Amino acid sequence: MLRPPPQMTAAPGGPQPISTRYGLTYDIPADWTNDYRSIAGWSNKDDRASFGAIGHFGEGYCSENDGAQLAMSGAAGSRDLDLLAVASKEIRAVEWIFDDDAGTLPTVEYAEPVWFEVAGRPSVRLSAHITDIPQISECDPESARFDIVATPGYATAETMVLMVEVHQGIDGAYDADVADEIIATLRPT
């Protein structure tokens, strides 16, 4: 698949499914924005992390940065079949995503890998709790949770990566447990 599948319809007020080009679908909460055709991510002079099949919440909450948001989800693919290696590489990005580009790193607490199944296939989840985030602008969260799931893909990539980022310590922010809810919906399209 060169493009994402068409947007799936959802009942008003219900979870919104997002089909990925990797043959898997996940749901976002009803009050999130379903931006399934968009690509989003982070980059600096040395690194890049990008995801498609985007869902996001709280865009525009901060007047200093129109693109600031409180939570985001997305999917990416990898040719690597080693699920733990793929997830480990993706979760380590939080170290530079949440730094200040001047060498000040956040404090990151990584959880142990959690193995589970998606449609009978092995999958792994890695989580990071990020604190002491350098405050570059008033839009920066006090803390954040970042979750990565790696699972075999059904199309266009051997492994699909699902990412859920949730900012904490900001008025209107979602409870970080929303990541659990989103990840639990992952299924074949």
Side-chain angles (χ1 to χ4, degrees):
M1 286 190 238
L2 297 176
R3 294 178 197 64
Q7 184 172 7
M8 300 174 77
T9 56
Q16 302 178 67
I18 297 181
S19 294
T20 72
R21 56 187 234 145
Y22 308 106
L24 291 141
T25 296
Y26 71 96
D27 294 345
I28 57 173
D31 57 347
W32 283 40
T33 300
N34 185 333
D35 225 351
Y36 75 102
R37 286 189 168 187
S38 293
I39 295 172
W42 306 267
S43 65
N44 66 20
K45 64 181 175 130
D46 299 319
D47 300 293
R48 189 185 94 174
S50 60
F51 297 88
I54 299 296
H56 56 88
F57 173 78
E59 187 172 26
Y61 81 93
C62 181
S63 61
E64 188 176 320
N65 179 350
D66 289 341
Q69 52 197 12
L70 296 171
M72 183 173 76
S73 62
S78 173
R79 293 179 187 255
D80 193 339
L81 291 169
D82 185 332
L83 299 177
L84 185 56
V86 170
S88 296
K89 178 181 179 260
E90 295 292 341
I91 199 75
R92 295 283 177 200
V94 299
E95 295 170 8
W96 60 267
I97 289 171
F98 292 98
D99 75 1
D100 65 358
D101 294 330
T104 306
L105 298 176
T107 301
V108 182
E109 180 183 335
Y110 295 101
E112 290 296 316
V114 175
W115 289 90
F116 65 105
E117 291 185 355
V118 172
R121 299 170 88 182
S123 304
V124 65
R125 175 182 181 175
L126 295 179
S127 300
H129 183 238
I130 305 100
T131 57
D132 302 322
I133 297 171
Q135 300 296 299
I136 300 167
S137 81
E138 67 181 48
C139 302
D140 293 323
E142 294 176 15
S143 63
R145 180 166 152 190
F146 202 90
D147 288 274
I148 293 290
V149 172
T151 190
Y154 286 85
T156 72
E158 283 77 5
T159 299
M160 184 193 117
V161 175
L162 176 66
M163 174 277 305
V164 182
E165 173 199 24
V166 182
H167 291 183
Q168 300 171 305
I170 300 172
D171 287 340
Y174 247 86
D175 187 295
D177 290 341
V178 71
D180 300 336
E181 296 167 18
I182 291 170
I183 291 166
T185 68
L186 191 58
R187 63 200 180 274
T189 301

